Amino acid sequence: AQTVTQSQPEMSVQEAETVTLSCTYDTSESDYYLFWYKQPPSRQMILVIRQEAYKQQNATENRFSVNFQKAAKSFSLKISDSQLGDAAMYFCAYSSYNQGGKLIFGQGTELSVKP
Amino acid sequence: GAVVSQHPSWVICKSGTSVKIECRSLDFQATTMFWYRQFPKQSLMLMATSNEGSKATYEQGVEKDKFLINHASLTLSTLTVTSAHPEDSSFYICSAYQPSRTVNTEAFFGQGTRLTVV
């Protein structure tokens, strides 16, 4: 079975600074997808960024980028130029290639942004 | 992105009664819908996978007789919590899956339902 681990329950960053959230996963599959989701206080799940395992290039979305290390099974999220609106719970998630939409989530990291 | 509507947003029910939660994909047909449960300050735990026209697949440890899932159409799945008890109080979230031409996985989430059993 696949597992996702986020070892940082809480993180804090100063506004405009950069922060990196860690995520490791375990799987025996070779094809899969990895995601970072943001859950603000409204609790609406928002997709931040997605990475296909077969792609070597790290995904980027504006201020958000990932460091995908397939051999190490590591998938960290870097937030640059942090903004107050980035404060939220962040979840790392895994999906098998042949089980579209079915997500296995990590424990979550609560990010606070200090003005 | 596509829109998934979950209703109600919050509900309070008495212990022993049943409550139904709806999950609708508003602008696309969802082949599969998923139901998650989230306790405060915790992660989302998958409860079941719902496919249109067939029986739901429940995760280990989830009581299928307590959490009834129906996926009668490509745009609607319902979760009924039967004979609710205070320990069933939680946040329930659905997601709907839309196969994409470019990316195999594209899941869209509803707003969630906060259930309180008194």
Side-chain angles (χ1 to χ4, degrees):
Chain A
Q2 297 82 26
T3 59
V4 179
T5 302
Q6 292 177 251
S7 59
Q8 306 157 314
E10 299 176 348
M11 289 285 284
S12 181
V13 64
Q14 204 72 31
E15 193 177 7
E17 297 296 308
T18 295
V19 64
T20 298
L21 308 184
S22 301
C23 173
T24 59
Y25 59 95
D26 190 29
T27 184
S28 59
E29 299 174 331
S30 57
D31 292 327
Y32 51 87
Y33 298 89
L34 296 165
F35 307 82
W36 278 98
Y37 279 90
K38 172 184 179 181
Q39 188 180 44
S42 68
R43 304 191 80 168
Q44 174 71 53
M45 297 293 286
I46 301 167
L47 178 63
V48 175
I49 200 164
R50 169 179 47 225
Q51 174 79 43
E52 293 88 345
Y54 63 86
K55 289 186 178 180
Q56 293 185 343
Q57 186 173 6
N58 290 324
T60 61
E61 285 288 342
N62 301 313
R63 298 183 295 108
F64 300 88
S65 61
V66 298
N67 183 2
F68 173 49
Q69 301 290 326
K70 191 172 184 179
K73 296 180 182 174
S74 170
F75 183 62
S76 61
L77 173 70
K78 185 172 81 171
I79 306 175
S80 304
D81 186 25
S82 297
Q83 301 175 358
L84 295 177
D86 294 334
M89 183 73 82
Y90 286 82
F91 292 101
C92 178
Y94 173 103
S95 174
S96 298
Y97 182 80
N98 60 355
Q99 291 189 306
K102 181 178 179 179
L103 298 169
I104 299 169
F105 288 92
Q107 301 90 328
T109 297
E110 186 165 12
L111 177 67
S112 59
V113 181
K114 298 179 180 178
Chain B
V3 179
V4 175
S5 177
Q6 193 172 334
H7 179 82
S9 297
W10 59 271
V11 59
I12 301 173
C13 71
K14 291 185 177 181
S15 186
T17 63
S18 296
V19 61
K20 179 184 288 188
I21 302 169
E22 293 186 348
C23 181
R24 293 180 184 273
S25 55
L26 298 185
D27 52 1
F28 69 99
Q29 292 184 328
T31 56
T32 308
M33 290 186 176
F34 303 91
W35 289 94
Y36 297 85
R37 182 174 182 176
Q38 184 180 30
F39 289 107
K41 297 290 185 181
Q42 293 189 26
S43 185
L44 283 74
M45 299 300 296
L46 180 66
M47 298 175 65
T49 301
S50 168
N51 291 294
E52 185 265 339
S54 62
K55 289 185 178 180
T57 302
Y58 291 81
E59 296 298 305
Q60 191 172 7
V62 178
E63 299 177 60
K64 56 184 175 183
D65 292 333
K66 180 167 197 55
F67 298 100
L68 300 179
I69 292 172
N70 183 273
H71 195 158
S73 76
L74 284 172
T75 59
L76 174 65
S77 177
T78 60
L79 167 67
T80 301
V81 183
T82 62
S83 186
H85 290 284
E87 56 265 31
D88 298 325
S89 299
S90 189
F91 192 68
Y92 294 88
I93 308 175
C94 72
S95 73
Y97 170 57
Q98 177 191 44
S100 167
R101 291 179 188 171
T102 57
V103 179
N104 192 46
T105 297
E106 189 73 52
F108 300 95
F109 284 86
Q111 311 96 308
T113 297
R114 182 182 300 278
L115 170 64
T116 302
V117 184
V118 298

